[in-house]
């Protein structure tokens, strides 16, 4: 069993929204590893970061991604930082991975003031820029397809993914 497609990208790229659209259109389930971690822990990602630290969250995320890749046959959306883990990148090999690319301006608009996003504490724009600069090459390295999301509706992005995977 393997996901039909795995969506990766930074916060604000639209992974969860596009995953839900694709799943509905294909008649399969959508799954989000951040939601899996929250369900396992019984608390939000933000609370896990604050109370237990990023390292603890990343360990939970690594396990959630491995489980989802092995057991989910629908559309899978990974948390923005999941690809930072080398073991996760290895597990993604052989899967159809779509990188939802988003530019700085659109990302900042979409995440707002970073409420509930622990990595954005402080200057949101500079933090988002740093995350994009750090992570974009990693997203590109695991992706089989890259889709630009700037200025586009989630429906348009989902349609491009469907066409690319047809």
């Amino acid at each position: 069993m393997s996901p039909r497609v795995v969506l990766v990208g930074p916060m604000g790229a639209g992974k969860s929204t596009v995953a839900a659209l694709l799943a509905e259109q294909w008649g399969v389930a959508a799954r989000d590893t951040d939601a899996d971690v929250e369900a396992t822990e019984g608390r939000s990602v933000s609370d896990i970061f604050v109370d237990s630290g990023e390292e603890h969250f990343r360990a939970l995320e690594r396990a959630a991604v491995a489980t989802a890749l092995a057991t989910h046959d629908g559309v899978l959306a990974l948390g923005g930082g999941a690809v930072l883990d080398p073991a996760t990148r290895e597990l993604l090999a052989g899967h159809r991975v779509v990188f939802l690319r988003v530019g700085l301006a659109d990302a900042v608009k979409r995440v707002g003031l970073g409420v509930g996003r622990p990595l954005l504490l402080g200057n949101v724009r500079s933090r988002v820029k740093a995350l994009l600069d750090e992570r974009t090459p990693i997203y590109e390295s695991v992706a089989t397809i890259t889709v630009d999301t700037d200025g586009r509706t989630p429906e348009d992005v989902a349609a491009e993914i469907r066409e690319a995977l047809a």
Side-chain angles (χ1 to χ4, degrees), residues 11 13 19 29 52 59 92 101 141 145 147:
M11 60 185 85
S52 304
L92 288 172
R101 183 174 19 226
S141 75
I145 300 167
V147 176

Side-chain angles (χ1 to χ4, degrees), residues 59-95:
L60 296 169
E61 180 177 56
R62 185 179 318 113
V65 171
T67 298
L69 287 171
T71 63
H72 183 64
D73 62 359
V75 180
L76 181 61
L78 301 191
V83 298
L84 299 176
D85 184 77
T88 295
R89 292 196 300 273
E90 283 182 32
L91 289 175
L92 288 172
H95 289 278

Side-chain angles (χ1 to χ4, degrees), residues 65-124:
V65 171
T67 298
L69 287 171
T71 63
H72 183 64
D73 62 359
V75 180
L76 181 61
L78 301 191
V83 298
L84 299 176
D85 184 77
T88 295
R89 292 196 300 273
E90 283 182 32
L91 289 175
L92 288 172
H95 289 278
R96 296 195 304 183
V97 179
V98 176
F99 166 32
L100 298 183
R101 183 174 19 226
V102 62
L104 178 60
D106 277 37
V108 170
K109 273 187 247 168
R110 293 176 190 172
V111 300
L113 294 176
V115 175
R117 298 190 185 264
L119 288 178
L120 295 186
L121 295 176
N123 181 326
V124 173

